[in-house]
Each structure stands twice: as C-alpha cells, then as structure tokens.
C-alpha cells in the first residue's frame, strides 16, 4: 500500500487505480472539491496543491499541479489542500490577504493562487516581486486580477505569522519519517499496477520483469496520456522513491545529476556554472511543473522541442544508461535517433546525466517562443564556442525545433573552427547553418522564420561576445 498524510490524517491506500490523479482523488474519493480542474494539462494552476516532504529534518513545501500528479507520488509526503489552511474558524494569512486585497473575482482560480502563495510564504522571508512572479507564473487568472493578487502576495509575505503547520512541524516530520519506503511497495487497482522501487537495483530488476511498463518520474508529460488522450497505463514504475536517482553531486570537472532529480533541484548548480542555463530553466514551464518534472524525463521523452537537450548537447553532456546490472555511458547527442526514437534498449533507463563544468569556451543559450514564460520553443539554440587570440578554437552549436531531434549544427561548426572571430566568419557560418537543417512549418512558426531566427541567434551570440556596435547596426537590424 501507499501511505501519506492528507493534512494531518494518515491515509493508507491499497486499492486505487494507478492512473488516478491527485486532483480526482481529492474531488471524487475524498470529497475535497476546493481544488479545481481547469485545463487538466498543467497550464492554468487551478488545481495547485502543496506537497510537504521531510528533507534532512526540515519540511520542504512545494506547489504542484494535482491534475498531472498520480496518487503514487504521494507516498511518504504530506498533501495540503486549500481546505486545510483554515484553522479554528480563522482564515490562513494567505487566504486573508486575498480577501483583504480583493484578489478573488470569479473565484474559480483562487484556490490555486492561494496554494501557490502558501508555498511562496513558506519558502521566503520577505516579499520579492521577481520571486512572486515566478511562484505565480503557473497560475492563470481569467479575470485579469493580477494587481490585487500581487498585493495579496506582498501582504502575506511581509506579515508572516506562525501558523498551525509550523506548530505541528515536528510532529509532522516524525509521522513522515515513520512512513518508511519499503521494497516491493506497489499500488493496484482496476487490474493496473504501479511499482515503487527504493533503489536503482530494485528499479533495474522491476524493469527487467516488466519491460512494457512506463517509467514515471515527475509525470508532467506522461500524465497527459491519461488526462488529455484518455488512455490507460496498465503498468507504471514510479522513480520518486529512488533516492540515488535524485542526487546531484559535483566532482572535479563534472556535475552528476540523477535522472529523477526535479528541475527545481537542478537549478542552483546549473545556474551557478552556466547562468544562461539557469535563465532558461526560469522559462521552462511553470514552478509547479519544475517542482515535478525531471531532467531525465525531459531527455527521455525525445521531444524535438525539449528545452534542455540542445543546451546539454552543446555542453558535451553524457547520459549513463542502465539495463539490469550493466551500464553504458554515451554522449547525449548520440542518444537521439529520429523523432521520438532513441538508442535505449528494452528495460534500459537513464540513470544519470553528466555535465562538464565550464572550460575556456563561452556558453550562451536562447529560447524563442510566442510567450516569454510557460511556452514551447519555436527555436531553442545553445552555443559553446572557444575563442583564443581572435580565432575560433572549438565550437559546439545545438538547436531544438529545427529538426526531428535536437541536433548539432555540424556544417556551421566547421565554418567557424579555425577561422578568425569576425563578421565575415559569422556570415559564412550563417550560410552553412542553412545546410544543417530543413525545419518544418507549423502553428508555432514557419520554416523560413525558424531558419532566419537560428541564423540571427548566431549573430546575436557574436554581438554579445564582441560588443560590436557597428555590426549590430549594419547587419542585425537588416535581419530582424
């Protein structure tokens, strides 16, 4: 069975459909209807809830989308909903702030906003507008009530008061510690199964036994199979209890990231070494999605418009694949074969991602999309070029959205390496870039737009690394 705290109530569930989302569990099984369904795809935030987890003796509160979270992800955690905030007939300070500042209009989105504000309050000591914008980026207000919601955020963060969650923190931690992850834990319902391994060894064995199972990490992509396409997933293997695959370590010259580490956890180390990587992660969906989604999952789904693969390929990252007791290490650029096709063999999974720490090259990443935040790339570009004494020593350029897979621009790289870092070289490289890709037209962008944007991003890299105002005036404005 799985065990978790629903607020302060210990729940033990052994007969639930593994395809059941937390949203439907709350509304249909527990009659907690404060959590709303808006889009069922993780875009609107109306279903936002908070999961609290014991991390080294402290409670970590994170907002997640209940519509994309399967019930198996609750094991060993505390689930907090909007109904749980009120205490002894008194509104929680975040709820009171929304009322005081008139932040609720039609009210449908309000529970999700309140839960995002609750998580924000738990993770900050004072009001910061940028941090608030990040916390609320995954919540959509159709009544355009953002100004009073920001005022509510300011009030709740500046006038923080100890609440009943703080008062029971020690008790909650003790109760969560008592829920020990056990080997061979599984949940079964409607003749469907989800297995919850606690180690990579158990995971490898389970996957060998059930090669037809779907691996479930954050589920922010896989859950759409259920919520949007109305398919059933008969077998799942949930990775969230495999602690080894959630670890992030740094050794001499290398960052090792477990494939099941949430993107939120990846941010600090990647942004420290590669600020542009951090900037892109800020635009990677919403905070709720980043709290769930994993770097390994973003690679494994083999999307041609996944945001992280072009950056990782440009940085010469590698992935460690495991099948049973066997492992192999391959360059990430060799992982992708064709649209949604990879080199992974039956029962083989991504165990970790290895990213080199910076060398003499200058790394920059660019994402072009219709919306600034929470949108899919039309073109994603990553460039890692080493220049010494005005000459290009090495170049690794990778693009997403330009082909069926995230891919290096080999002709462009050849046009750069060994050449002087000049305007003429850049223009020759832009011409060569046209030989690397034959992009498609779709509702996000035409093929001509994608090609021109990719070339202009290389020009942008040149401008940013040379600060050449004449080039900016004479060349780029002609191509915008």
């Amino acid at each position: 069975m799985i065990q978790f705290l629903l607020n302060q109530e210990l729940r033990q569930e052994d007969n639930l459909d593994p395809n059941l989302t937390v949203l439907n569990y709350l509304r249909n099984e527990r009659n907690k209807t404060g959590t709303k369904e808006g889009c069922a795809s993780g875009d609107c935030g109306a279903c936002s809830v908070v999961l609290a987890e014991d991390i080294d003796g402290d409670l970590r509160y994170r907002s997640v989308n209940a519509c994309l979270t399967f019930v198996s992800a609750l094991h060993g955690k505390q689930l907090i909903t909007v109904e749980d905030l009120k205490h002894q007939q008194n509104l929680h300070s975040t709820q009171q702030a929304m009322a005081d500042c008139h932040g609720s209009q039609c009210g449908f989105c309000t529970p999700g906003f309140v839960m995002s504000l609750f998580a924000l309050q738990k993770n900050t000591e004072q009001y910061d507008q940028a941090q608030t914008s990040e916390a609320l980026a995954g919540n959509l207000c159709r009544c355009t009530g953002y100004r009073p919601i920001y005022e509510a955020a300011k009030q709740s963060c500046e006038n923080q008061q100890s609440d009943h969650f703080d008062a029971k923190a020690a008790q909650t931690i003790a109760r969560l510690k008592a829920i020990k992850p056990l080997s061979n834990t599984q949940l079964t319902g409607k003749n469907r199964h989800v297995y919850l391994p606690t180690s990579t060894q158990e995971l490898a064995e389970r996957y060998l036994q059930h090669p037809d199972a779907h691996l479930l990490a954050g589920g922010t992509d896989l859950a759409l199979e259920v919520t949007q396409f109305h398919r059933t997933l008969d077998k799942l293997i949930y990775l969230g209890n495999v602690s080894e695959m959630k670890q992030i370590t740094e050794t001499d010259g290398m960052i090792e990231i477990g494939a099941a580490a949430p993107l939120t956890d990846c941010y600090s180390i990647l942004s420290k070494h590669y600020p542009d990587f951090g900037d892109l992660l800020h635009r990677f969906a919403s905070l709720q999605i980043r709290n769930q989604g994993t770097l390994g999952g973003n690679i494994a789904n083999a999307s041609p418009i996944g945001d992280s693969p072009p950056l990782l390929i440009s940085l010469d990252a590698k992935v460690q694949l495991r099948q049973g007791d066997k492992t192999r290490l391959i360059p990430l650029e060799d992982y992708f074969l064709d649209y949604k096709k990879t080199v992974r063999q039956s029962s083989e999974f991504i165990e970790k991602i290895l990213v080199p720490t910076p060398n003499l090259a200058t790394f920059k990443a660019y994402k072009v999309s219709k919306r600034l935040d929470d949108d899919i790339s039309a073109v994603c570009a990553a460039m890692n070029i080493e220049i010494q004494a005005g000459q290009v020593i090495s170049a690794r350029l990778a693009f997403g959205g330009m082909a069926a897979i995230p891919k290096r621009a080999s002709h462009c790289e050849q046009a750069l390496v060994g050449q002087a870092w000049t305007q003429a070289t850049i223009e020759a490289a832009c011409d060569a870039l046209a030989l690397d890709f034959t992009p498609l037209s779709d509702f996000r962008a035409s093929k001509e737009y994608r090609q021109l944007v990719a070339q202009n991003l290389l020009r942008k890299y040149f401008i940013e690394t040379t600060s050449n105002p004449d080039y900016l005036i004479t060349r780029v404005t002609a191509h915008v």
Side-chain angles (χ1 to χ4, degrees):
M1 66 178 70
I2 62 169
Q3 300 180 66
F4 59 93
L5 295 180
L6 181 54
N7 192 10
Q8 294 296 329
E9 177 192 0
L10 177 64
R11 298 296 309 172
Q12 302 183 75
E13 303 285 1
D14 61 358
N15 186 26
L16 290 176
D17 181 356
N19 289 193
L20 183 66
T21 63
V22 171
L23 172 66
N24 288 331
Y25 172 76
L26 289 170
R27 294 181 63 84
N28 300 333
E29 302 291 330
R30 308 310 308 160
N31 199 31
K32 284 179 170 283
T33 55
T35 306
K36 307 301 182 188
E37 178 178 322
C39 64
S41 59
D43 287 325
C44 74
C47 69
S48 297
V49 295
V50 169
L51 294 181
E53 190 173 3
D54 170 39
I55 303 295
D56 299 326
D58 289 314
L59 285 176
R60 183 187 68 190
Y61 296 88
R62 283 185 172 172
S63 57
V64 300
N65 294 118
C67 71
L68 296 182
T69 306
F70 290 129
V71 288
S72 53
L74 298 177
H75 186 68
K77 302 180 180 69
Q78 181 188 30
L79 171 60
I80 303 171
T81 71
V82 69
E83 291 95 340
D84 304 324
L85 299 190
K86 188 176 179 180
H87 182 60
Q88 295 181 348
Q89 304 306 311
N90 294 317
L91 294 178
H92 189 270
S93 58
T94 53
Q95 295 172 307
Q96 189 63 56
M98 286 286 281
D100 292 344
C101 299
H102 308 287
S104 177
Q105 294 189 35
C106 79
F108 186 86
C109 68
T110 301
F113 271 103
V114 167
M115 296 313 297
S116 290
L117 289 180
F118 172 76
L120 173 67
Q121 187 190 72
K122 290 296 184 186
N123 290 293
T124 188
E125 295 182 356
Q126 58 185 4
Y127 176 75
D128 178 84
Q129 184 163 344
Q131 194 173 5
T132 300
S133 295
E134 182 177 15
L136 299 181
N139 293 82
L140 174 63
C141 174
R142 293 173 176 84
C143 303
T144 64
Y146 292 106
R147 182 187 57 78
I149 292 172
Y150 270 87
E151 291 175 353
K154 185 174 183 181
Q155 176 176 312
S156 62
C157 289
E158 288 184 344
N159 302 293
Q160 293 193 29
Q161 302 172 6
S162 180
D163 58 20
H164 55 289
F165 297 101
D166 297 327
K168 294 181 178 179
Q171 175 186 344
T172 301
I173 291 171
R175 297 181 72 189
L176 293 178
K177 286 182 181 296
I179 305 174
K180 297 179 180 178
L182 300 174
S183 298
N184 299 317
T185 299
Q186 62 178 287
L187 179 65
T188 301
K190 294 188 177 180
N191 203 31
R192 301 177 192 127
H193 309 273
V194 58
Y195 305 99
L196 285 75
T198 59
S199 67
T200 51
Q201 182 63 35
E202 185 185 353
L203 165 59
E205 292 171 358
R206 282 288 190 186
Y207 207 14
L208 285 172
Q209 295 166 1
H210 305 283
D212 56 336
H214 294 271
L215 297 184
L216 170 65
T220 56
D221 185 59
L222 183 62
L224 297 177
E225 293 289 312
V226 175
T227 66
Q228 298 296 304
F229 299 104
H230 306 290
R231 297 171 183 149
T232 56
L233 306 175
D234 291 333
K235 290 182 182 179
L236 294 166
I237 301 177
Y238 176 59
L239 311 183
N241 293 326
V242 183
S243 59
E244 302 134 280
M245 290 181 61
K246 298 172 74 175
Q247 294 177 357
I248 301 174
T249 59
E250 183 177 353
T251 58
D252 291 338
M254 193 66 64
I255 305 167
E256 295 188 8
I257 301 174
L263 291 165
T264 300
D265 294 346
C266 300
Y267 171 80
S268 59
I269 192 164
L270 289 174
S271 62
K272 179 181 74 171
H273 291 293
Y274 300 106
D276 271 33
F277 209 135
D279 290 344
L280 183 132
L281 285 180
H282 273 295
R283 297 179 58 196
F284 191 115
S286 65
L287 182 60
Q288 290 96 319
I289 295 294
R290 296 196 299 273
N291 285 339
Q292 291 270 86
T294 64
L295 194 61
N298 195 236
I299 295 168
N301 69 9
S303 169
I305 49 176
D307 282 341
S308 69
L311 281 65
L312 294 169
I313 290 172
S314 176
L315 293 172
D316 196 18
K318 295 177 173 58
V319 289
Q320 181 169 301
L321 302 176
R322 178 166 177 169
Q323 181 190 54
D325 293 327
K326 299 181 297 183
T327 62
R328 58 178 174 140
L329 190 66
I330 64 169
L332 178 59
E333 62 186 284
D334 295 339
Y335 177 80
F336 305 99
L337 297 177
D338 202 347
Y339 179 74
K340 292 289 186 177
K341 294 183 179 179
T342 72
V343 299
R344 271 199 317 126
Q345 300 172 2
S346 176
S347 296
E348 192 173 40
F349 60 92
I350 301 174
E351 188 173 19
K352 64 176 68 172
I353 302 101
L354 290 85
V355 185
T357 51
N359 51 26
L360 297 177
T362 300
F363 172 79
K364 287 187 175 293
Y366 309 99
K367 174 176 176 174
V368 177
S369 56
K370 289 190 173 183
R371 295 193 306 264
L372 179 65
D373 292 314
D374 199 5
D375 200 5
I376 295 172
S377 297
V379 177
C380 185
M383 306 178 191
N384 199 26
I385 303 175
E386 181 182 349
I387 304 163
Q388 292 186 19
Q391 188 176 40
V392 179
I393 305 302
S394 65
R396 293 183 64 92
L397 286 76
F399 289 81
M402 297 289 288
I405 59 174
K407 183 182 173 184
R408 284 178 69 180
S410 56
H411 289 90
C412 183
E413 292 174 358
Q414 292 170 15
L416 289 170
V417 175
Q419 302 301 312
W421 188 237
T422 64
Q423 175 180 331
T425 297
I426 291 298
E427 290 309 311
C430 285
D431 292 339
L433 187 61
L435 303 175
D436 284 309
F437 303 104
T438 53
L440 298 176
S441 295
D442 59 21
F443 67 91
R444 293 188 187 92
S446 67
K447 60 184 180 181
E448 294 84 4
Y449 176 83
R450 283 189 163 101
Q451 190 68 57
L452 181 57
V453 164
Q455 293 169 325
N456 276 350
L457 291 176
L458 178 56
R459 296 182 176 107
K460 179 179 175 68
Y461 180 97
F462 178 73
I463 294 166
E464 291 181 345
T465 54
T466 59
S467 300
N468 187 330
D470 293 333
Y471 181 81
L472 174 63
I473 294 170
T474 61
R475 295 299 306 172
V476 174
T477 54
H479 288 84
V480 171

